[in-house]
Amino acid sequence: MNHPTDGGLLDTSTLIDLANLDGSSLPAEPSISAITLAELSVGPLVATSDAERAARQAHLQQAEADFDPIAFDAAAARAFGRVATSLRAKGRKPAARAYDALIAATALAADLPLYTANPRDFAGIDGLDVREVRRVTG
């Protein structure tokens, strides 16, 4: 799959916090993984208040409207094996951060850098180009 060199995959927390991030640290052509939509779809179902449920539902609907997510396909499934092996080699358990590991595999399979405000979540994954996004301070 060909992607522009100025593209990148946003992790879920980056997508949720987009309004509070420095736009100059984000890719010109952002993408999300179908895994991010899966993670976002859980939010409204586990919310503990109507206000929280509404806010989480709004995030999900906005993501669905703004992005055509990259599928978790056979190439991503194979890349997940590399992600899990890298994490285990570093003494980390892939199951502990399953969504992150699946998103990392999607980025590897699509040959895209991964943009995150939490680079430690993706530390130690061989071959993954992790790019830290900055929060706006004010």
Side-chain angles (χ1 to χ4, degrees):
M1 181 180 269
N2 287 336
H3 291 282
T5 56
D6 55 354
L9 191 70
L10 307 179
D11 76 333
T12 306
S13 63
T14 300
L15 177 66
I16 289 170
D17 206 24
L18 214 46
N20 300 314
L21 299 175
D22 176 359
S24 69
S25 67
L26 293 166
E29 296 187 33
S31 299
I32 64 168
S33 168
I35 302 304
T36 289
L37 284 184
E39 191 171 5
L40 289 174
S41 73
V42 174
L45 301 174
V46 299
T48 57
S49 71
D50 289 341
E52 183 182 9
R53 185 174 299 103
R56 290 178 178 196
Q57 186 66 36
H59 270 114
L60 172 61
Q61 289 173 326
Q62 193 66 54
E64 289 173 334
D66 290 348
F67 293 95
D68 182 18
I70 298 172
F72 188 84
D73 59 10
R78 286 189 298 279
F80 180 77
R82 296 193 331 256
V83 170
T85 300
S86 292
L87 292 173
R88 283 191 178 110
K90 305 287 190 284
R92 298 175 66 197
K93 295 181 179 173
R97 308 265 329 163
Y99 291 121
D100 288 343
L102 293 166
I103 290 167
T106 303
L108 284 170
D111 196 27
L112 288 171
L114 181 72
Y115 286 77
T116 181
N118 304 307
R120 287 182 297 181
D121 291 349
F122 300 95
I125 299 175
D126 294 337
L128 183 62
D129 180 1
V130 178
R131 308 216 180 148
E132 184 171 5
V133 296
R134 296 178 302 275
R135 296 187 193 289
V136 175
T137 56

